[in-house]
Amino acid sequence: MRPLWTMAISDLRQRARDKSVFIFGIAVPLALMGVLNLVIGNLLSRDLTPVTVAVSVPVGDEAGQSLVGTLRSLGDIDGVGGFDVRVRPVSPSDVRGLVAGDEADLGLTVPDGFGAALLQGAPKDVTVVDGGGGIENDVVISVVTGTVDRYRAATVAATAAGRVGLPASDLAAIGREVATSLPTIALTEGRASDEQLSTTGALVAGQAGLFLLFTVGFGVLGLVNEREQGTLARLRSMPMRPGLIVAAKALVSFILGVVATTVLLTAGSLLFDVDFGSPLAVAVLVLCAVTAGTSITFVIARIARTAEQSNVAQSIVALVLGIAGGAFFPLNAGGVLGTLLDANPVGAFIRGLGITSGGGGVGDIGVPVLVLLVFAVAMVGVSRVVPDRGDAL
Amino acid sequence: MRTDGATAEPTGRGDVLVVDHLVRRFGDLTAVDGVSFRIAAGETYGLLGPNGAGKTTIISMVAGLIAPDEGTVTVAGEQMGRTAVAPKRHIGLVPQDLAVYPELTARENLVLFGRLQGMTGPQLTARVAEVTELIGLTGRAKDPTKEYSGGMKRRLNIGIGLLHRPTLLILDEPTVGVDPQSRNQILESVERLSVEGMAVLYTTHYMEEAERLCDRIGIIDSGVLQAEGTRDELVRLTGAVDHIRLSGTGDTHAAAEALRALPSVSQVDVDRRELRLTVGDAPSAVAQVVTRATDAGMSLADVEITRPDLESVFLHLTGKALRD
């Protein structure tokens, strides 16, 4: 083992002196995290802006007022945060003018006799004028549509009751009941593990996973450089097993990967205010992810003959796995493609961090850890099968 | 001396290296074809041949970097192979490439390879200092080697090879691309190693280096060892002889008569004021020849020795010039 550490320490000293690891393993990813956080983070997590709705409701129409009340309550949707809807009561003739003049984002006209028609089971249309705004307008329109649909259901129920001969006083009660009752079937939204990371958290985790694949490539690059500069021949003439040379490079890859990823996650947490949860569970994930990343270098060492080929191969692998794993934005797919995406080490790393970020411990990250380790074993197996074009191993 | 690929006879002085019928093919190309030779302790053996002759491939097999398709390499009694460990303790390899780490200092390079050779502690420290002095890099030992000149890197390249006092030092074209001063330093270093009892395998395509350094020389071309022996043995293969040319004034005919009487002179031709002598060994005969000609009344203006060299040997054996 002494030659192994002798070579690894010498390699680390050289990497530290040429500063490439600091630049490409830490500084560049941190800078990229900052840029992506500014660009994508704000895009994905921006707050909804207030909406002004010009509303015309006939005086004394309870159903119409109820609709307006629903709009006002959008600013206080429990657990979601909502956004501010400013209701501006106007006359029916002013609705379109205000929207056209950009004084309101939306216009809503409740026709005369809306409430009475509802009670009698007769159809009435509510007119919505869209000012062409963003997602906020779509939300308001969806709420209006949903509310009107419930009123329509009430109308249908009241009409049906009338046809079976119920008294008129009961028809109003039935319509009111249908329009205001709470649903008996609830839809609860769950969250996938990677979605437990905030947008910024996902970016930090994704970039750490992506650049981990670049950082571990320094080991392979070192091997190819040794071949090109002639030191590999000298190393192979030393009294030690040839496999130790490759093992030393893998050890260097592993150490650099662990250090760079730890620095990235720590710096990312501090700079972008992300909490990845249990340090022990995160450490286990980092070790497994670096193991998986390092295993790829064994394959590249077999196929790359020059430093240039090694760089290109490492970059392609890192970018493909990084993008597919969700280093920049989440990807979802089903079937075989979905399985392949699930087997991606970057994806598994992000999912694992999602679990720890949501409060999970070591016992909860079994699946991503298993994915990472199986990937590592598979890559080492592939490296034994791939022909050695560079005479490296 | 021999002129074919037959099994090399023991040198009789304790063979450090035995190369026996080595064959190495790369696809359809047979890079080394049945090469055999031996090197004794304290002997410097040169492999002389043009680029592409197979010298580096032979070195790679001797150093255990690649495996031969046929044949064996035995170093200090132990069979060499790609995964062999024990025989590699006996060799010091100086590759043709500058096999040093540019980001490390000379001292760090030496310490690294010393450790990989199993050296530690005060023994390693002392030997590193000794070798640094030997290769003339003491003043620059703490500078990164990327700041060195080509000659300094070459010297460090050799220093790493002999750091652990190997039984067999393998030098693959160590003076390629080196300035004359560094080249001379390198050649002097190799001469010293031979005196200290180290066996040296030296490949070169520079005839002068082989003549200066090597006790025996193997002439290699197209992967085949064409002939081997001492320089004089190889020269004799060509049938060529030494000549001494004397030019001057005075009685050239009387001088010619006097010189014909010398046992070392086999023939004297007279051409007006010039004498052309055929001799057995020109360097040893020249003093006597000059004295005898002067005593016979010739006033010498110029003396020139012409000897057949390894270039002519190579031409004789392969039908082409060494630098072709």
Side-chain angles (χ1 to χ4, degrees), chain A residues 2-4 6-7 10-11 13-14 17-18 226-242 249 391-393, chain B residues 63 65 82-83 85 88-89 91 93-95 97-105 108 112-113 115-120 157 160-161:
Chain A
R2 192 164 160 264
L4 178 73
T6 300
M7 286 186 284
S10 172
D11 236 36
R13 180 179 287 145
Q14 292 174 69
R17 284 187 186 163
D18 73 13
E226 300 254 19
R227 191 185 296 143
E228 288 183 344
Q229 69 192 13
T231 42
L232 184 61
R234 172 160 267 153
L235 287 175
R236 288 164 64 188
S237 75
M238 295 288 129
M240 60 186 183
R241 285 181 293 113
K249 299 301 174 194
D391 196 25
L393 303 181
Chain B
L65 307 184
R82 278 190 75 202
T83 56
V85 173
K88 289 182 179 176
R89 294 189 197 287
I91 65 165
L93 174 65
V94 180
D97 296 322
L98 292 170
V100 299
Y101 292 106
E103 294 289 341
L104 300 183
T105 66
E108 287 168 339
L112 167 65
F113 287 107
R115 284 190 177 138
L116 293 179
Q117 284 288 358
M119 303 169 76
T120 54
N157 199 30
I160 294 169

Side-chain angles (χ1 to χ4, degrees), chain A residues 183-210:
Chain A
T184 55
I185 299 172
L187 183 65
T188 304
E189 183 186 6
R191 302 175 86 184
S193 54
D194 54 349
E195 290 173 353
Q196 289 169 1
L197 287 168
S198 64
T199 305
T200 304
L203 278 176
V204 171
Q207 296 307 301
L210 170 68

Side-chain angles (χ1 to χ4, degrees), chain A residues 391, chain B residues 23-32 54 56-58 60-61 66-67 69:
Chain A
D391 196 25
Chain B
V23 176
R24 174 69 191 197
R25 302 180 193 91
F26 295 103
D28 294 334
L29 172 72
T30 302
V32 175
T56 299
T57 306
I58 293 172
S60 297
M61 289 187 279
I66 59 174
D69 292 319

Side-chain angles (χ1 to χ4, degrees), chain B residues 44 75 102 104 157 281 287 295:
Chain B
T44 299
V75 179
L104 300 183
N157 199 30
D281 182 38
D295 289 349

Side-chain angles (χ1 to χ4, degrees), chain A residues 70-111:
Chain A
T70 302
L71 290 181
R72 285 194 170 114
S73 70
L74 278 177
D76 188 28
I77 299 174
D78 184 36
V80 178
F83 65 104
D84 188 16
V85 177
R86 296 164 188 164
V87 175
R88 183 174 173 185
V90 296
S91 64
S93 58
D94 292 338
V95 172
R96 286 188 183 276
L98 288 170
V99 174
D102 287 338
E103 292 181 58
D105 301 294
L106 276 172
L108 185 66
T109 306
V110 178

